[in-house]
Amino acid sequence: MPPLSKGIFTGNTFGFLNELRSNNDREWFANNKSRYESDVLYPALEFVCCMESRLSKHSRYLRAEAKRVGGSIMRIYRDTRFSKDKTPYKTNLGIHFRHSLGGDVHAPGLYVHIEPGACFLAAGIWMPPTEPLQMIRQSILESPAEWKRTKNNKIFRTHFQLEGESLKTAPRGIPTDHPEIKDLRRKSFAGVMHITDEQVTDPGFVEFVDRSLLTARPLMKFLCDALHQPY
């Protein structure tokens, strides 16, 4: 499929998110909701539709759901119940292609983050609950050579870096001098590729995302195997 003649996301997408950052209140959002829909939500729905057929090259278990609510597009409304930050809206657009057997955002998946000056693509699993996290660590312990091949895969490393918080010390029961202790201390197993706002508004952005995330297949495969999920 040839690239689109113009980008799905435009300067208006970033313009709205920038203004929301400075006017993060319900009254302003209500007065500008039509802009949110035309400049952020509808382009996101179009992007998800474009990615749907392409995801089959990655895995038949990844879902692209172009729905306003409950699909691949993450809610712009923040959950402020347990946060000191009571601003009601996210100032970014998050698009998550979930594993169909995972059930929630903690399953391995592919992610597109659009935020002025802080855009990125990601693949893997972010801050999973205790049980899946322990399963991934156990796979590293049982198959250290396979894990090394995964994280040191040349094509993967060219595009992605493992990012996220880590424990300050070794997990319980794991020696502090274990050869893979740096990775065993991780709370997330996510490869991240930082991109520019200009890349997001480029007409070839869909193809770029497709090609880039495809290079994260080694990590996705390792994580799904660790969690006994197909990929």
Side-chain angles (χ1 to χ4, degrees):
M1 183 179 296
L4 301 169
S5 59
K6 62 178 181 177
I8 293 177
F9 300 105
T10 69
N12 290 341
T13 306
F14 289 96
F16 177 86
L17 294 173
N18 262 322
E19 289 184 49
L20 179 58
R21 185 180 297 171
S22 302
N23 302 276
N24 200 330
D25 62 73
R26 290 180 174 82
E27 182 179 1
W28 185 91
F29 189 85
N31 291 333
N32 290 272
K33 189 172 182 179
S34 62
R35 288 180 57 208
Y36 163 69
E37 292 183 338
S38 64
D39 298 338
V40 180
L41 179 60
Y42 294 155
L45 290 168
E46 182 180 354
F47 175 79
V48 173
C49 286
C50 290
M51 285 295 297
E52 184 174 5
S53 61
R54 292 170 170 84
L55 282 182
S56 61
K57 296 185 298 184
H58 300 256
S59 167
R60 64 190 180 96
Y61 295 99
L62 293 176
R63 299 184 304 187
E65 297 179 301
K67 302 191 311 188
R68 293 175 64 104
V69 179
S72 297
I73 301 168
M74 303 184 79
R75 287 166 49 87
I76 196 168
Y77 306 98
R78 295 183 62 251
D79 184 353
T80 61
R81 291 174 298 173
F82 308 107
S83 174
K84 293 181 180 180
D85 180 1
K86 298 301 181 182
T87 52
Y89 305 104
K90 301 172 186 174
T91 55
N92 66 271
L93 168 63
I95 301 172
H96 189 224
F97 302 115
R98 298 177 176 88
H99 193 289
S100 61
L101 302 182
D104 60 26
V105 296
H106 298 299
L110 306 177
Y111 178 71
V112 179
H113 185 93
I114 297 175
E115 180 179 3
C119 300
F120 63 87
L121 309 180
I125 188 165
W126 187 259
M127 297 294 286
T130 301
E131 183 177 355
L133 182 58
Q134 289 177 339
M135 292 172 71
I136 295 169
R137 287 173 175 161
Q138 187 63 32
S139 287
I140 295 175
L141 290 170
E142 293 176 356
S143 307
E146 182 182 352
W147 171 244
K148 286 181 181 179
R149 285 194 298 271
T150 297
K151 69 175 182 176
N152 294 326
N153 179 280
K154 186 176 181 180
I155 297 177
F156 172 71
R157 290 189 65 183
T158 298
H159 295 85
F160 291 91
Q161 297 289 330
L162 291 173
E163 294 189 7
E165 296 180 7
S166 295
L167 297 172
K168 293 182 179 180
T169 186
R172 182 178 299 177
I174 298 177
T176 57
D177 60 350
H178 190 283
E180 300 301 319
I181 192 59
K182 179 179 179 181
D183 292 323
L184 291 166
R185 289 171 49 230
R186 293 186 183 278
K187 297 180 181 180
S188 300
F189 287 85
V192 177
M193 176 197 301
H194 297 277
I195 59 176
T196 65
D197 298 3
E198 290 74 21
Q199 286 174 294
V200 175
T201 57
D202 187 272
F205 183 59
V206 172
E207 288 74 20
F208 169 77
V209 171
D210 182 26
R211 292 193 309 269
S212 299
L213 292 177
L214 195 59
T215 66
R217 181 177 176 81
L219 177 64
M220 292 291 291
K221 181 68 167 58
F222 183 92
L223 296 175
C224 284
D225 287 347
L227 298 173
H228 309 304
Q229 295 177 350
Y231 190 68

